[in-house]
Amino acid sequence: RDIEENEEIFLDYGQEWEDAWNNHVNKWKMGMGMNIPSTAYASNLDKNSKVIRTEMDLQQNPYPPNIFTSCYYSYRDGKKRNNRQGRTYVWQKTDDILYDRNLRPCSVLNRHNDAGDGNEYYTVAVRNRFGLKDSERIPQGEMHLVTNVPRSAIRFSNKIFTTDLHLSSSFRHAIHIDDIFPSHWKK
């Protein structure tokens, strides 16, 4: 029969997987294999992280080694200008700017208050990240400085391979896919 909308499907991963899971649960202890000082998620929720530290601040008070700052910023071919002499770009809010596809590593160089609204804004050096289209990549060797970046456009991100998913104590076991589907589904 067809699966109805909102109907749940329960998959049996097999006895081997079940035994491995139960063995993992019985042996696992809180903190086992966990040497992660913080996570980007926790740092983004932390009220003490409301003010982002500049590169100079980080010399005295660094963030945990597994997180870094990222900025929402869109760079497209149509916006290319020669920035090799340090020319800066002004951050612009658009309807789709705060989507994760626009999140890139950035270093916070300066923090300042806008006398008009009392909010803090930042000057950042934006870098490329893995997975960008060629039209979205800042040309190699080009210093890309962006001013007037609001706090809401800066987040903390996890460095690659530093989340709990990558802990040596995380549960991993093969799911034998052939065993989970009823035989009449395979026809």
Side-chain angles (χ1 to χ4, degrees):
R1 73 176 177 86
D2 289 341
I3 299 167
E4 300 294 326
E5 188 175 333
N6 295 320
E7 187 175 10
E8 291 186 44
I9 299 174
F10 294 96
L11 301 178
D12 182 352
Y13 293 161
Q15 192 60 49
E16 183 183 325
W17 187 93
E18 184 94 14
D19 292 344
W21 173 251
N22 289 332
N23 184 42
H24 172 76
V25 169
N26 289 331
K27 289 183 177 180
W28 189 85
K29 292 178 179 54
M30 182 63 150
M32 188 170 87
M34 296 179 177
N35 57 355
I36 297 173
S38 184
T39 63
Y41 178 78
S43 296
N44 285 321
L45 294 177
D46 186 357
K47 291 179 180 162
N48 293 325
S49 296
K50 184 178 178 184
V51 174
I52 299 293
R53 298 175 199 153
T54 65
E55 288 294 302
M56 188 174 290
D57 296 334
L58 292 174
Q59 292 175 13
Q60 299 298 317
N61 187 14
Y63 290 123
N66 59 309
I67 63 172
F68 62 95
T69 50
S70 293
C71 297
Y72 287 102
Y73 185 70
S74 178
Y75 178 89
R76 304 270 191 308
D77 272 334
K79 293 171 84 173
K80 282 186 182 177
R81 289 180 238 154
N82 185 353
N83 194 29
R84 297 182 199 283
Q85 278 69 48
R87 193 175 345 158
T88 59
Y89 300 83
V90 177
W91 190 86
Q92 294 181 359
K93 181 169 175 70
T94 60
D95 289 341
D96 66 347
I97 192 68
L98 297 179
Y99 291 156
D100 285 348
R101 70 174 178 260
N102 295 320
L103 202 55
R104 317 167 154 255
C106 66
S107 299
V108 177
L109 305 176
N110 190 6
R111 178 178 51 245
H112 60 278
N113 290 357
D114 183 321
D117 65 10
N119 293 321
E120 289 195 326
Y121 293 87
Y122 299 85
T123 299
V124 301
V126 178
R127 297 183 302 281
N128 292 320
R129 65 167 169 76
F130 178 77
L132 290 171
K133 298 175 188 173
D134 286 343
S135 63
E136 298 171 331
R137 297 188 71 74
I138 298 166
Q140 189 171 2
E142 185 173 299
M143 171 77 74
H144 198 81
L145 301 176
V146 184
T147 61
N148 294 334
V149 179
R151 172 60 182 93
S152 60
I154 303 173
R155 299 187 48 82
F156 295 102
S157 296
N158 294 304
K159 288 185 180 174
I160 190 168
F161 303 123
T162 64
T163 63
D164 57 0
L165 171 71
H166 297 92
L167 292 173
S168 61
S169 61
S170 294
F171 177 71
R172 293 176 183 84
H173 194 278
I175 298 173
H176 301 288
I177 197 99
D178 287 341
D179 298 339
I180 67 172
F181 298 111
S183 58
H184 64 276
W185 284 16
K186 297 179 189 178
K187 294 180 182 177

